[in-house]
Amino acid sequence: METIRFMSIARVKPVPGVSAMTLRDGKVLLAKRAKQAGYGLWSLPGGHIEPGEAARDAALRELAEETGVTARLDRLVGCQDIIHRDTDDTVIFHYVVSVFLCHWQHGEAVAATDVSDVMWAGLCDLDSLNMTDGTADLIRNTLKTIT
């Protein structure tokens, strides 16, 4: 009798997340990630959607928690997949991030939960920053549509 072997495959389900592309005086607010996903990289402030929370509300909550800034949410500007794999090409985690365009209302940006630094960056700054994949292009493309 032949023995059938089944491989144990770790199934990683995509996790919904949000980011807030917040503009103020022609600059965008960036946060330096201090947690596993994107550690040490500049990105848009954001994170997980809590159970029962609307994505739009989560974007504003994460922005306030990470930076102390409050903003007016304008519209959805994109959706990004963040997929990290190990050396065997096995998916370690997969986030599907809805990115919302926001406009600063008040608050001075300070690094708070999940981030080690924050900055207001102009378009000319993006090329010199070590950023999460696709973030600089998304910012550039979005700003082209609103200027």
Side-chain angles (χ1 to χ4, degrees):
M1 181 170 181
E2 185 177 334
T3 303
I4 299 174
R5 297 178 123 180
F6 293 95
M7 292 181 64
S8 174
I9 299 174
R11 294 203 125 138
V12 174
K13 293 184 179 184
V15 175
V18 292
S19 286
M21 185 185 302
T22 306
L23 304 180
R24 179 183 186 187
D25 299 327
K27 294 186 176 188
V28 64
L29 181 58
L30 298 177
K32 193 176 222 181
R33 309 306 315 164
K35 295 266 180 150
Q36 177 188 5
Y39 179 83
L41 300 177
W42 289 98
S43 187
L44 298 170
H48 293 97
I49 301 171
E50 298 295 332
E53 182 179 39
R56 298 170 67 87
D57 295 336
L60 294 175
R61 176 186 51 76
E62 286 286 348
L63 173 65
E65 286 177 2
E66 291 187 354
T67 70
V69 165
T70 58
R72 176 182 51 81
L73 192 141
D74 185 343
R75 67 181 189 268
L76 180 70
V77 294
C79 186
Q80 291 187 300
D81 286 287
I82 302 169
I83 304 169
H84 286 224
R85 300 173 187 272
D86 66 12
T87 55
D88 295 332
D89 207 33
T90 301
V91 175
I92 300 169
F93 60 83
H94 179 178
Y95 293 106
V96 180
V97 179
S98 298
V99 182
F100 293 93
L101 178 63
C102 300
H103 300 279
W104 176 87
Q105 286 188 310
H106 55 82
E108 292 305 317
V110 294
T113 64
D114 300 341
V115 301
S116 61
D117 200 2
V118 293
M119 70 179 292
W120 291 98
L123 282 175
C124 60
D125 300 317
L126 300 180
D127 288 334
S128 64
L129 298 172
N130 192 13
M131 300 180 76
T132 53
D133 289 339
T135 300
D137 288 337
L138 181 63
I139 293 168
R140 283 188 194 94
N141 292 335
T142 300
L143 292 182
K144 283 181 195 175
T145 68
I146 61 172
T147 55

